[in-house]
Amino acid sequence: IYLGEDDTGDENLSQSTAAKRQGDNRLERGERAFEMASSIAKAKGWDFRWRMVKAPDIGHSAGGMLRADEALEAFSASEPELVH
């Protein structure tokens, strides 16, 4: 999961009750999705090969995310360390 550390605004972001349970902003929602996937994999005994990469000083900007130094790590084909 590739997240912008400053993606904490709420413009064009669903504010429904169900959406708010996922987090107050895109950063929180991405972190929560990662944590939930990791927890489910652990509970089921599945390999979890996701990784979380965060781009510092980037908000809700596709261009900013793609130009960030962290983009190479986020889109790398190399396998992340296996977490059990």
Side-chain angles (χ1 to χ4, degrees), residues 23-41:
D24 290 333
N25 54 60
R26 289 176 184 89
L27 176 61
E28 286 182 11
R29 292 176 188 186
E31 290 170 335
R32 178 138 325 130
F34 184 90
E35 291 165 7
M36 291 295 295
S38 176
S39 293
I40 291 168

Side-chain angles (χ1 to χ4, degrees), residues 3-79:
L3 305 169
E5 286 186 349
D6 289 345
D7 197 354
T8 57
D10 61 5
E11 185 176 343
N12 298 318
L13 183 68
S14 176
Q15 298 297 323
S16 71
T17 301
K20 293 286 277 184
R21 281 195 301 264
Q22 298 172 22
D24 290 333
N25 54 60
R26 289 176 184 89
L27 176 61
E28 286 182 11
R29 292 176 188 186
E31 290 170 335
R32 178 138 325 130
F34 184 90
E35 291 165 7
M36 291 295 295
S38 176
S39 293
I40 291 168
K42 184 176 183 177
K44 299 284 188 179
W46 299 336
D47 289 346
F48 184 70
R49 295 182 183 263
W50 291 18
R51 65 177 164 239
M52 185 183 318
V53 177
K54 294 182 183 179
D57 304 318
I58 303 293
H60 191 62
S61 167
M65 295 287 286
L66 292 171
R67 285 188 296 274
D69 293 338
E70 291 75 16
L72 183 60
E73 178 185 355
F75 298 114
S76 170
S78 65
E79 295 217 8

